[in-house]
């Protein structure tokens, strides 16, 4: 039998020669001084040989281990050389099965059961947050720390909810890979327990004017129904609650062609208990800036024949989905940064800071009234909801001028590419608006 000393001290000769070890393993010493491990075996009546590598890269102990592994395979009735070749090919193929490749297969297999917008959101989040980091790595070699690193990067930018959603999607890719036999386990399965918890209470909102303006610009440039784009802008201008916007009806608007355009939201649609909803003179009054009127003018050819300003894309008699604007913000990359309700916080923060800079402390009460906030010292039923209307109109215009500086006219939003999801969506192609356009009552239009 060979020893480490014999292997190390073996000298080259004019011709190659063998030094035998146990169980047909031997060291082949070449004239050039090379020392190669070889093993002879019989399979299916034929004499064969396998190479186990060169000394000293492969030690005597390593060579014996390779021989013993081959003997085990041979005892199972398999050819060790073929088994090794198949293993090499499997390893090469495993290297080709990157996370991105498997993820795209999973997405293609799953998207038929999803809404088109959701399917687009899913692949977009992977392309933005996952593929750049681990997309090119073999899925079978990914570990929990590698996946956690991806999620920590998302958390670092403050997108806590996005990190949780992405973890779920990564885990779904691994489950698909397990079913396909390209990976054995899911390293993302238990990472949800170590992610940062969601902040409870205040909803995420961008309260910096420049960043808010950029967010609106990014969202409006994304593919969406024209109605959804206009709804986003009208929500930003009026700072009403999203539920109040969704239920808006053309019949709630007054003097749209006059000098004092107003949106009168019925008390029954406002947030509050039953007493609040039944309160006399409890309507919320929203003075409209010029930019808000421009949104309504662009919207009128699309939905003016119906009751609702912002109807569903499937049923014109129902309000748009409560998630429509939120999905638009998410697709624009603001998931976890700003939600539709966040425009109220943005309006309050920016306008109160403006009032402080201008030395107009009294405007703080007016701003609260514009948000339908009732001061704590006031009794709900005794609160004058029509107070300070002229000043509210002035502040609404100041807000609109600041917010939309540099942004395109609403008519541009209508002309941009839209996601058509059904036959009704294809029918609402906007019509040219004449210069002498006037809002008409529905009875006049008929």
């Amino acid at each position: 039998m060979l020893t480490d000393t014999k292997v190390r001290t073996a000298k080259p000769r004019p011709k190659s020669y063998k030094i035998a070890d146990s169980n047909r393993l031997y060291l082949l010493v070449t004239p050039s001084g090379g020392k190669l491990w070889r093993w002879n075996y019989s399979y299916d009546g034929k004499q064969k040989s396998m190479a186990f590598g060169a000394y000293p890269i492969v030690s005597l102990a390593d060579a014996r281990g390779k021989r013993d592994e081959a003997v085990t395979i041979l005892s199972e009735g398999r050819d060790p050389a073929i088994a090794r070749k198949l293993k090499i090919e499997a390893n090469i193929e495993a290297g080709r099965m990157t996370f991105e490749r498997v993820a795209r297969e999973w997405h293609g297999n799953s998207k038929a059961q999803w809404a088109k917008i959701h399917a687009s959101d899913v692949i977009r989040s992977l392309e933005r947050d996952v593929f750049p980091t681990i997309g090119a790595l073999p899925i079978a070699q990914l570990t929990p720390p590698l996946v956690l690193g991806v999620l920590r990067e998302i958390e670092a930018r403050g997108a806590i909810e996005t990190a949780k959603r992405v973890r779920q999607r990564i885990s779904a890719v691994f489950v698909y890979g397990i079913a396909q036999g390209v990976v054995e386990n899911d390293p993302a399965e238990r990472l949800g327990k170590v992610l940062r918890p969601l902040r409870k209470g205040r909803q995420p909102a961008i309260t910096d004017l420049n960043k808010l303006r950029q967010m609106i610009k990014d969202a409006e440039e994304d593919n969406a129904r024209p109605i959804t784009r206009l709804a986003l802008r009208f929500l930003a201008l009026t700072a009403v609650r999203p539920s109040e916007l969704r239920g808006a009806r053309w019949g709630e608007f007054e003097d749209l062609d006059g000098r004092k355009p107003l949106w009168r939201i019925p008390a029954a649609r406002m947030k509050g208990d039953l007493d609040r909803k039944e309160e006399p003179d409890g309507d919320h009054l929203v003075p409209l800036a010029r930019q808000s009127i421009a949104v309504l003018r662009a919207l009128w050819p699309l939905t003016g024949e119906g009751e609702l300003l912002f109807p569903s894309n499937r049923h014109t008699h129902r309000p748009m989905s409560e998630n429509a604007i939120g999905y638009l913000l998410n697709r624009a990359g603001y998931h976890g940064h700003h939600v539709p309700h966040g425009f109220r916080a943005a309006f309050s923060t920016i306008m109160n800071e403006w009032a402080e800079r201008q030395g107009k402390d009294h405007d703080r009460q007016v701003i609260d009234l514009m948000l339908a906030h009732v001061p704590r010292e006031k009794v709900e039923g005794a609160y004058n909801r029509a107070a300070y209307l002229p000043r509210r109109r002035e502040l609404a215009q100041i807000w609109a001028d600041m917010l939309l500086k540099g942004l395109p006219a609403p008519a541009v939003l209508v002309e941009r590419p839209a996601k058509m999801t059904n036959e009704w969506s294809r029918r609402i192609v906007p019509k040219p608006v004449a210069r002498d356009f006037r809002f008409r009552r529905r009875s006049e239009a008929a």
Side-chain angles (χ1 to χ4, degrees):
M1 291 179 59
L2 284 171
T3 64
D4 288 329
T5 301
K6 288 182 180 180
V7 174
R8 185 176 67 256
T9 58
K11 303 297 182 181
R13 299 175 184 176
K15 293 184 179 181
S16 299
Y17 68 97
K18 304 175 182 178
I19 305 178
D21 191 53
S22 61
N23 202 2
R24 306 185 73 178
L25 174 68
Y26 62 90
L27 182 71
L28 178 66
V29 183
T30 66
S32 62
K35 300 175 182 180
L36 309 176
W37 295 109
R38 296 287 187 269
W39 176 64
N40 293 332
Y41 68 100
S42 299
Y43 182 77
D44 194 22
K46 298 179 182 179
Q47 295 299 314
K48 293 190 173 186
S49 180
M50 283 185 69
F52 289 156
Y55 179 87
I57 297 175
V58 178
S59 67
L60 173 60
D62 292 338
R64 286 171 174 169
K66 290 177 179 289
R67 176 203 59 196
D68 293 344
E69 182 181 353
V71 169
T72 299
I73 294 174
L74 186 63
S75 67
E76 296 172 350
R78 295 183 293 149
D79 188 335
I82 295 177
R84 182 171 67 177
K85 183 177 181 180
L86 292 176
K87 184 176 181 180
I88 292 173
E89 291 180 353
N91 289 337
I92 293 174
E93 181 60 23
R96 294 172 181 157
M97 296 302 293
T98 64
F99 179 85
E100 180 173 352
R101 177 178 173 181
V102 178
R104 291 192 182 279
E105 288 184 6
W106 163 76
H107 182 264
N109 183 70
S110 304
K111 66 181 182 180
Q113 60 187 313
W114 298 332
K116 291 183 179 179
I117 291 179
H118 178 67
S120 177
D121 289 345
V122 170
I123 194 63
R124 187 169 181 173
S125 69
L126 295 175
E127 291 172 343
R128 181 183 62 237
D129 296 324
V130 182
F131 293 166
T133 305
I134 63 172
L137 299 179
I139 189 171
Q141 297 179 21
L142 292 178
T143 62
L146 284 173
V147 177
L148 182 60
V150 173
L151 302 177
R152 291 296 190 214
E153 289 183 5
I154 301 173
E155 289 182 331
R157 66 173 192 255
I160 308 303
E161 186 174 353
T162 298
K164 294 183 178 298
R165 290 180 183 273
V166 169
R167 186 208 66 80
Q168 293 172 349
R169 290 164 185 173
I170 291 176
S171 183
V173 172
F174 276 103
V175 170
Y176 176 82
I178 292 171
Q180 297 298 313
V182 298
V183 65
E184 295 182 356
N185 55 71
D186 173 13
E189 181 180 9
R190 299 184 179 180
L191 294 182
K193 297 180 180 179
V194 299
L195 294 180
R196 290 168 56 185
L198 287 170
R199 292 179 298 176
K200 296 182 179 180
R202 189 174 181 179
Q203 301 191 61
I206 296 175
T207 56
D208 176 86
L209 181 59
N210 290 328
K211 293 180 179 179
L212 184 68
R213 192 184 293 132
Q214 183 63 48
M215 184 270 292
I216 294 173
K217 179 177 182 294
D218 292 340
E220 290 179 346
E221 289 177 349
D222 205 301
N223 286 357
R225 289 198 308 152
I227 292 173
T228 306
R229 290 198 194 99
L230 295 173
L232 172 70
R233 179 167 292 197
F234 201 62
L235 183 65
L237 285 166
T238 58
V240 298
R241 296 180 179 88
S243 60
E244 295 159 5
L245 177 97
R246 292 175 51 243
R249 286 166 165 74
W250 286 106
E252 296 172 356
F253 292 84
E254 304 171 7
D255 200 27
L256 293 182
D257 291 316
R259 299 176 58 185
K260 298 180 180 180
L262 186 73
W263 179 13
R264 184 183 298 273
I265 305 178
R269 291 210 304 109
M270 295 298 295
K271 179 181 179 181
D273 56 22
L274 185 60
D275 290 340
R276 165 70 176 90
K277 295 178 181 297
E278 294 179 349
E279 180 185 331
D281 300 321
D283 297 347
H284 179 47
L285 308 181
V286 184
L288 301 175
R290 294 189 302 274
Q291 292 87 338
S292 297
I293 297 298
V295 172
L296 296 179
R297 288 186 181 278
L299 184 64
W300 178 264
L302 305 182
T303 66
E305 295 181 358
E307 293 286 337
L308 296 166
L309 272 72
F310 306 106
S312 163
N313 65 339
R314 297 185 180 183
H315 307 285
T316 59
H317 62 285
R318 297 179 183 176
M320 69 189 307
S321 166
E322 61 181 348
N323 298 319
I325 298 177
Y327 282 152
L328 178 56
L329 294 174
N330 294 347
R331 292 197 303 273
Y334 291 90
H335 187 60
H337 292 268
H338 193 91
V339 296
H341 197 275
F343 285 113
R344 292 173 60 77
F347 173 79
S348 177
T349 300
I350 295 171
M351 288 304 292
N352 275 300
E353 290 176 351
W354 175 88
E356 183 177 353
R357 291 194 303 270
Q358 300 295 319
K360 299 181 181 296
D361 291 339
H362 181 68
D363 280 340
R364 292 182 178 276
Q365 301 177 40
V366 182
I367 292 168
D368 279 344
L369 186 57
M370 295 174 73
L371 291 167
H373 290 166
V374 178
R376 294 179 181 177
E377 67 274 11
K378 295 287 186 180
V379 178
E380 184 85 31
Y383 190 50
N384 182 5
R385 302 184 185 280
Y388 308 115
L389 199 55
R391 185 55 179 164
R392 287 156 67 181
R393 193 175 299 280
E394 293 173 355
L395 292 180
Q397 190 58 58
I398 292 171
W399 167 248
D401 291 341
M402 290 194 302
L403 181 67
L404 299 187
K405 183 179 180 181
L407 294 181
V412 176
L413 307 184
V414 175
E415 297 168 356
R416 285 177 175 169
K419 287 188 175 182
M420 296 300 185
T421 57
N422 54 40
E423 186 62 29
W424 183 82
S425 297
R426 287 188 285 270
R427 291 203 303 269
I428 60 168
V429 178
K431 302 175 182 178
V433 179
R435 289 192 175 184
D436 61 347
F437 176 87
R438 293 290 185 272
F439 289 102
R440 298 170 298 166
R441 295 182 179 178
R442 195 160 291 103
S443 58
E444 297 173 347

